[in-house]
Amino acid sequence: MCASAVDADGAVYPLAFAIVDVESDDNWMWFLSELRKLLGVNTDKMPVLTILSERHNGLVEAVITHFPSAFHGFCLRYVSESFRDEFKNTKLVNLFWSAVYSLTTAEFEAKVGEMMEVQDVMPWFQLFPLIFGQFVL
């Protein structure tokens, strides 16, 4: 497990790492507890903290527990892999990435509309409200 940060020059540097026997809910809870101690700050006053991760359930719960005011986003590589595995359709995957790179809500909704013409993707989108919830009705 590891946590990295971005400095003022945009460079990524390691904050913490741990070697565990298995990626589990308990290990994520422990790791983020230790990360919070390392940062030594009151997490309630940390609105600018952004955590990007894969969508492991234990990690999601640990972020909610230890960094409740942080924004928690999911790495689009993992999200797109989940989308690809669910739908197994190259056209839909291409439309997904077009939607991701949309610059306006209208453009995003148009791409989602194009996806809906191919297959009903709304139930899948509703699994990812942190990413798409603000756009998908």
Side-chain angles (χ1 to χ4, degrees):
M1 300 179 163
C2 68
S4 301
V6 178
D7 68 15
D9 291 327
V12 176
Y13 63 93
L15 283 176
F17 70 92
I19 298 171
V20 294
D21 58 343
V22 65
E23 182 179 10
S24 67
D25 296 356
D26 289 339
N27 283 339
W28 276 120
M29 195 64 73
W30 167 80
F31 182 72
L32 287 187
S33 170
E34 294 301 308
L35 180 61
R36 187 180 69 194
K37 290 178 200 173
L38 170 77
L39 294 175
V41 295
N42 182 343
T43 58
D44 294 335
K45 296 183 180 173
M46 200 183 297
V48 296
L49 180 68
T50 298
I51 297 173
L52 297 175
S53 71
E54 62 178 86
R55 196 170 182 271
H56 186 279
N57 287 335
L59 181 52
V60 172
E61 279 300 313
V63 169
I64 291 168
T65 300
H66 295 293
F67 298 99
S69 63
F71 174 77
H72 187 195
F74 303 118
C75 172
L76 282 173
R77 186 180 122 231
Y78 292 108
V79 174
S80 69
E81 286 174 5
S82 173
F83 187 86
R84 183 197 65 221
D85 292 346
E86 176 72 21
F87 295 105
K88 297 173 180 48
N89 183 314
T90 303
K91 181 176 181 178
L92 278 175
V93 172
N94 291 336
L95 287 168
F96 170 90
W97 281 106
S98 293
V100 165
Y101 287 111
S102 296
L103 299 178
T104 65
T105 302
E107 185 182 354
F108 178 86
E109 289 174 350
K111 293 300 177 186
V112 172
E114 288 181 49
M115 285 188 249
M116 291 294 291
E117 291 174 10
V118 176
Q119 188 171 346
D120 183 9
V121 295
M122 279 306 150
W124 185 89
F125 273 107
Q126 292 167 350
L127 296 173
F128 294 92
L130 293 175
I131 297 170
F132 300 107
Q134 62 185 341
F135 297 110
V136 178
L137 303 175

